[in-house]
Amino acid sequence: MTEVKTVILVAWEDETKTLSDADKQLLDDNNIEIVYTGIGKINATRMTTRIILDSIYRGDPKGGNLSRLRIVNVGCAGSHTTPVRTLIKPTAFMQRDMDARQFGYKQYRTPEAAQQRWMLGVRLPSEGIKTSRPMALKVTPHPKVLQRDPAKAEEEGYDGKIPVKPHWIVCATGDNTNGYSEVSEEIPAFDAVDMEAYAIADVCAHYGVSFTCYKWITDLAAEDSTIEELIEN
């Protein structure tokens, strides 16, 4: 049986500059590869898709290799809820810069796309789910509810609606540094503000690939946040 392959996607090489030779050897010994995507959603989408397609066609055109592929996104992020120099594990992902309200669409929703996919979530093992593949979330005010495909829910023994617990951590992705201006009444604060995670999660959801994300908080995603602050932290 082919062993599990883990690919860690990082946007910027500076984010891994503290890795020692021993760290790199440990990754190699455990079949873990670091791949740099470049900054932004397009770069992240292109690289994630390439990795998955390479895995599909590497001697297994039916795609069986995908069950042994693990994609992990690691990188820096701002936050409205968490102090700097804190490591968090986001479990829900959205596009903060998707805004077509002028044409009658709700904020954060992609026009003419499946509206339930505007927020993607990764279920946690503690909730009884065996995989960590992203899926669509339906966020409702009181209480928050996770809406699953009814047929799939029945197949897995769930009733289709599962409470979203307080530990859901929202990562808001956009191709800018304006996270402070993209909050709303619906989502008044972002736990993480980055430029790649939603894109990676969406591609993984499309192909059914396991996805995990970790963000190191370097700034407060505020109007006066600077690149110097990010680098320092």
Side-chain angles (χ1 to χ4, degrees), residues 100-107:
R101 285 177 291 175
Q102 185 174 347
F103 292 161
Y105 297 92
K106 289 184 177 181
Q107 189 176 7

Side-chain angles (χ1 to χ4, degrees), residues 6-230:
T6 301
V7 179
I8 299 177
L9 296 181
V10 181
W12 189 26
E13 290 191 25
D14 278 21
E15 293 175 299
T16 60
K17 65 182 182 181
T18 59
L19 284 177
S20 67
D21 290 340
D23 293 331
K24 295 174 183 176
Q25 185 61 54
L26 183 62
L27 294 175
D28 189 58
D29 291 344
N30 287 277
N31 202 25
I32 299 172
E33 178 184 7
I34 294 178
V35 174
Y36 298 99
T37 64
I39 294 171
K41 290 186 289 184
I42 291 177
N43 285 327
T45 298
R46 181 177 63 243
M47 185 59 71
T48 307
T49 303
R50 194 193 82 181
I51 289 167
I52 290 174
L53 292 181
D54 283 350
S55 182
I56 289 175
Y57 293 109
R58 191 179 298 125
D60 188 355
K62 292 184 179 180
N65 281 343
L66 294 188
S67 65
R68 298 182 288 273
L69 177 63
R70 305 287 183 266
I71 289 182
V72 181
N73 174 225
V74 176
C76 298
S79 178
H80 300 146
T81 63
T82 306
V84 298
R85 301 192 180 188
T86 301
L87 183 67
I88 65 173
K89 184 179 182 180
T91 50
F93 306 87
M94 56 170 287
Q95 291 191 92
R96 56 185 168 81
D97 60 347
M98 180 56 70
D99 191 349
R101 285 177 291 175
Q102 185 174 347
F103 292 161
Y105 297 92
K106 289 184 177 181
Q107 189 176 7
Y108 312 128
R109 279 72 167 176
T110 301
E112 304 308 311
Q115 292 304 293
Q116 71 272 19
R117 287 183 61 85
W118 75 277
M119 179 80 79
L120 296 175
V122 178
R123 297 301 304 281
L124 303 178
S126 61
E127 295 172 352
I129 302 297
K130 295 181 180 178
T131 67
S132 57
R133 290 177 295 184
M135 60 186 178
L137 290 179
K138 181 179 180 182
V139 179
T140 55
H142 301 292
K144 289 185 177 181
V145 167
L146 177 64
Q147 181 69 52
R148 301 205 67 200
D149 175 77
K152 189 66 174 176
E154 183 177 354
E155 175 186 325
E156 296 183 359
Y158 295 96
D159 61 6
K161 290 186 176 181
I162 305 170
V164 176
K165 298 178 176 58
H167 56 225
W168 283 93
I169 299 172
V170 176
C171 180
T173 300
D175 283 323
N176 59 52
T177 56
N178 301 333
Y180 57 87
S181 66
E182 293 166 334
V183 294
S184 65
E185 289 187 5
E186 185 175 24
I187 304 182
F190 302 138
D191 298 303
V193 177
D194 87 325
M195 301 176 76
E196 297 84 26
Y198 177 91
I200 300 170
D202 189 62
V203 175
C204 288
H206 178 76
Y207 287 101
V209 172
S210 172
F211 174 67
T212 308
C213 181
Y214 297 93
K215 294 295 179 180
W216 178 254
I217 304 305
T218 56
D219 61 86
L220 301 180
E223 187 171 3
D224 58 355
S225 295
T226 65
I227 186 66
E228 289 78 17
E229 180 182 6
L230 184 155

